[in-house]
Amino acid sequence: MNQRTPSIILVGPQMGENIGAAARVMGNFGLSDLRIVAPRDGWPNPAADTMSAGAFEAGVVTPTVFDTLEEAVGDLNYLIATTARQRGMEKPVFSTDLAVKEITGSDVPTGILFGAEKSGLPNDAVVMCDAILTYPVNNKFASLNLAQAVGVFAHAWGAQSAPDEVSGLDEPAKRKALIGMMQHFEDELERAGFFFPPEKKDVMVHNLRNAFTRAKWTDQEVRTFRGAVKALTIGRGKARIHRD
Amino acid sequence: MNQRTPSIILVGPQMGENIGAAARVMGNFGLSDLRIVAPRDGWPNPAADTMSAGAFEAGVVTPTVFDTLEEAVGDLNYLIATTARQRGMEKPVFSTDLAVKEITGSDVPTGILFGAEKSGLPNDAVVMCDAILTYPVNNKFASLNLAQAVGVFAHAWGAQSAPDEVSGLDEPAKRKALIGMMQHFEDELERAGFFFPPEKKDVMVHNLRNAFTRAKWTDQEVRTFRGAVKALTIGRGKARIHRD
């Protein structure tokens, strides 16, 4: 597993807002090395600071500015160009997931290149790269915001080290507790005359039990439901009725 | 496969810019139904229009505004709440990939809820949902921009229907062409006295051949390289030398 996080390289970005928003989402997903090649409005850039939501100030993301792409990538071994369209170049073309696998499967310093807002990466820059990363954009509405493009990759990077499913569920109650709850409920329904006509009772009980069982209720939920049934049938506090 | 695209539901969003940016990235990845619950600054919102990059105007994304969440989700069958943190709620918690699989595996109208910029989704809204979607954010820099949160889901939605790898490569040249090229190169290197001392020649040739073979050159690339070798060795045009 590659423990190095890839560098994000913005080639000739125009708007400080996008640089800052890109830095913010990098920080959200654990990327820290931002390389900015020839930003149109110079550096530092107040709009970038504002949109970074503190990513620069907190040291979560470190920006470095370069005059040329060649300088920006000099210490990297593997480069991936993000492009919206096929360029007819002789390079492997990756989805986000495959790009992340390629990076984590090797152990070399890697950079991901993103082009300017209007024009994308120039062909000169794409040629320098080992592979192309492309997103499955809607052909009829293909212009992705620069920071969103960085965000999609950043999330994929963060997701590769995260478990696929984090269970938010406590374990289901033991069957004894669930069955006790269902019997309690059915007893009260019987008392209330719910099972009519009597020959339909089995089907009605099965329907209820299937629904309760499928929900995988926890102990706490079973207790809450029993309390609710009790309250509905004999009341609570001053509303309590006393059965024979 | 669920052919219905999920609805994106923004609950109490504050900034028009974020609503517009969310709409833009929805459109980029084929999502069209945007439901906006009680937007702070009302609707329509000029900042939203600007940041949508034409998504509303072009009809790529259709916004509908609701006063309450209950109205906004009334016609949907399955709801997923996006939250940054665990809520201690009894619901399955999905990664982006699993959420998309869950949606495509069923065939019911589904909504994905996103909370307001500062506060996220209120617990009341999370309780109404069937499941939670959470992103693997950096705990020390966890505040994700609203439109970026929508963008991450939108990309995952778009990616599920896209092929994982789009090969950008032409097929490698037939081995005969590649071998011919290597022999041509080696012949010229021999003539230039490159293989010295002579007993090292085999190793040097193997190194070169391994490198050339690994690169999977196409016919065009083989032709180009042969031309380059020829130009280096006997020149072109006026620089052409004539060998015996």
Side-chain angles (χ1 to χ4, degrees), chain A residues 21-37:
Chain A
R24 176 175 175 180
V25 78
M26 286 174 62
N28 292 147
F29 293 115
L31 296 171
S32 57
D33 185 29
L34 174 62
R35 304 181 179 201
I36 311 166
V37 180

Side-chain angles (χ1 to χ4, degrees), chain A:
Chain A
M1 174 70 83
N2 188 347
Q3 294 304 315
R4 305 175 208 259
T5 59
S7 303
I8 298 296
I9 304 162
L10 306 183
V11 182
Q14 301 177 305
M15 297 184 64
E17 287 83 351
N18 286 331
I19 302 173
R24 176 175 175 180
V25 78
M26 286 174 62
N28 292 147
F29 293 115
L31 296 171
S32 57
D33 185 29
L34 174 62
R35 304 181 179 201
I36 311 166
V37 180
R40 184 191 66 185
D41 298 339
W43 196 262
N45 181 319
D49 281 342
T50 303
M51 290 296 284
S52 78
F56 297 133
E57 211 172 39
V60 171
V61 171
T62 306
T64 316
V65 176
F66 298 86
D67 288 336
T68 68
L69 178 57
E70 286 72 10
E71 293 168 85
V73 301
D75 61 332
L76 302 175
N77 298 54
Y78 190 79
L79 300 176
I80 300 177
T82 53
T83 75
R85 55 191 186 284
Q86 298 293 319
R87 303 281 189 130
M89 291 208 194
E90 288 297 326
K91 298 183 191 300
V93 178
F94 296 137
S95 68
T96 315
D97 283 354
L98 278 177
V100 169
K101 278 192 193 116
E102 184 76 17
I103 299 167
T104 54
S106 76
D107 189 31
V108 297
T110 295
I112 317 292
L113 277 65
F114 295 84
E117 286 86 343
K118 296 247 162 106
S119 48
L121 282 172
N123 279 340
D124 283 359
V126 178
V127 166
M128 283 180 57
C129 294
D130 298 278
I132 285 173
L133 166 61
T134 195
Y135 298 151
V137 290
N138 174 2
N139 287 334
K140 291 176 185 147
F141 195 73
S143 168
L144 193 66
N145 168 268
L146 172 56
Q148 288 280 7
V150 173
V152 164
F153 174 80
H155 167 264
W157 177 260
Q160 51 95 15
S161 59
D164 214 23
E165 181 168 20
V166 187
S167 175
L169 299 179
D170 286 349
E171 63 178 15
K174 285 202 199 312
R175 204 43 55 103
K176 186 182 168 186
L178 185 68
I179 291 170
M181 180 197 87
M182 294 190 291
Q183 282 173 338
H184 174 194
F185 190 47
E186 291 153 14
D187 288 349
E188 293 293 351
L189 290 174
E190 181 80 73
R191 178 189 287 261
F194 176 75
F195 296 118
F196 186 86
E199 62 270 27
K200 288 272 177 78
K201 179 177 173 181
D202 278 359
V203 172
M204 296 164 90
V205 165
H206 287 173
N207 288 346
L208 287 168
R209 288 197 166 201
N210 275 332
F212 282 127
T213 304
R214 208 170 52 238
K216 296 183 185 163
W217 282 15
T218 64
D219 278 321
Q220 179 57 55
E221 290 165 342
V222 164
R223 282 194 298 274
T224 302
F225 187 77
R226 290 194 73 145
V229 171
K230 198 169 164 189
L232 284 178
T233 51
I234 60 173
R236 285 190 69 185
K238 286 186 187 165
R240 183 71 172 264
I241 61 167
H242 292 275
R243 287 183 181 157
D244 297 333

Side-chain angles (χ1 to χ4, degrees), chain B residues 9 29 55 80-81 101 104 129 137 154 167 192 203-204 225-226 242:
Chain B
I9 304 162
F29 293 114
I80 300 178
K101 278 194 192 115
T104 55
C129 293
V137 289
S167 174
V203 172
M204 295 164 90
F225 187 76
R226 291 194 73 144
H242 292 275

Side-chain angles (χ1 to χ4, degrees), chain B:
Chain B
M1 175 70 84
N2 189 347
Q3 294 304 315
R4 306 173 206 260
T5 59
S7 303
I8 298 296
I9 304 162
L10 306 183
V11 182
Q14 301 177 304
M15 296 185 63
E17 287 83 350
N18 286 330
I19 301 173
R24 175 175 176 180
V25 77
M26 285 175 62
N28 292 147
F29 293 114
L31 297 171
S32 57
D33 185 30
L34 174 61
R35 305 180 179 203
I36 311 166
V37 180
R40 183 191 66 186
D41 299 337
W43 196 260
N45 181 318
D49 280 341
T50 303
M51 290 296 284
S52 78
F56 297 133
E57 211 173 37
V60 171
V61 171
T62 306
T64 315
V65 176
F66 298 86
D67 289 335
T68 67
L69 179 58
E70 286 72 11
E71 293 169 86
V73 300
D75 62 331
L76 302 175
N77 299 55
Y78 189 79
L79 299 176
I80 300 178
T82 53
T83 76
R85 55 190 187 285
Q86 299 293 321
R87 302 282 189 130
M89 292 211 193
E90 289 296 328
K91 297 184 191 300
V93 178
F94 295 137
S95 68
T96 314
D97 283 353
L98 278 176
V100 168
K101 278 194 192 115
E102 184 75 18
I103 299 167
T104 55
S106 77
D107 189 31
V108 297
T110 296
I112 318 292
L113 279 63
F114 295 84
E117 285 87 343
K118 295 248 162 103
S119 49
L121 282 172
N123 280 340
D124 283 0
V126 179
V127 166
M128 283 178 56
C129 293
D130 298 277
I132 285 174
L133 166 60
T134 195
Y135 298 150
V137 289
N138 174 3
N139 287 333
K140 292 176 184 146
F141 195 73
S143 169
L144 193 66
N145 169 267
L146 172 56
Q148 287 280 6
V150 172
V152 164
F153 175 80
H155 168 263
W157 176 260
Q160 51 96 12
S161 59
D164 213 22
E165 181 168 20
V166 187
S167 174
L169 299 180
D170 286 348
E171 63 178 17
K174 286 204 198 312
R175 204 44 55 104
K176 186 182 166 186
L178 186 67
I179 291 170
M181 179 198 87
M182 294 190 292
Q183 282 173 338
H184 175 196
F185 190 48
E186 291 153 15
D187 288 348
E188 293 294 350
L189 290 174
E190 180 80 73
R191 179 190 286 262
F194 176 77
F195 296 117
F196 186 87
E199 62 270 25
K200 289 270 179 76
K201 178 177 174 182
D202 277 359
V203 172
M204 295 164 90
V205 165
H206 287 174
N207 288 346
L208 288 169
R209 289 198 166 200
N210 274 332
F212 282 127
T213 303
R214 206 169 55 237
K216 296 183 185 163
W217 282 13
T218 65
D219 277 322
Q220 179 58 55
E221 289 165 342
V222 164
R223 282 195 298 272
T224 302
F225 187 76
R226 291 194 73 144
V229 171
K230 198 170 165 190
L232 285 179
T233 52
I234 60 172
R236 286 191 69 187
K238 287 185 186 164
R240 184 73 173 264
I241 61 169
H242 292 275
R243 288 183 181 159
D244 298 332

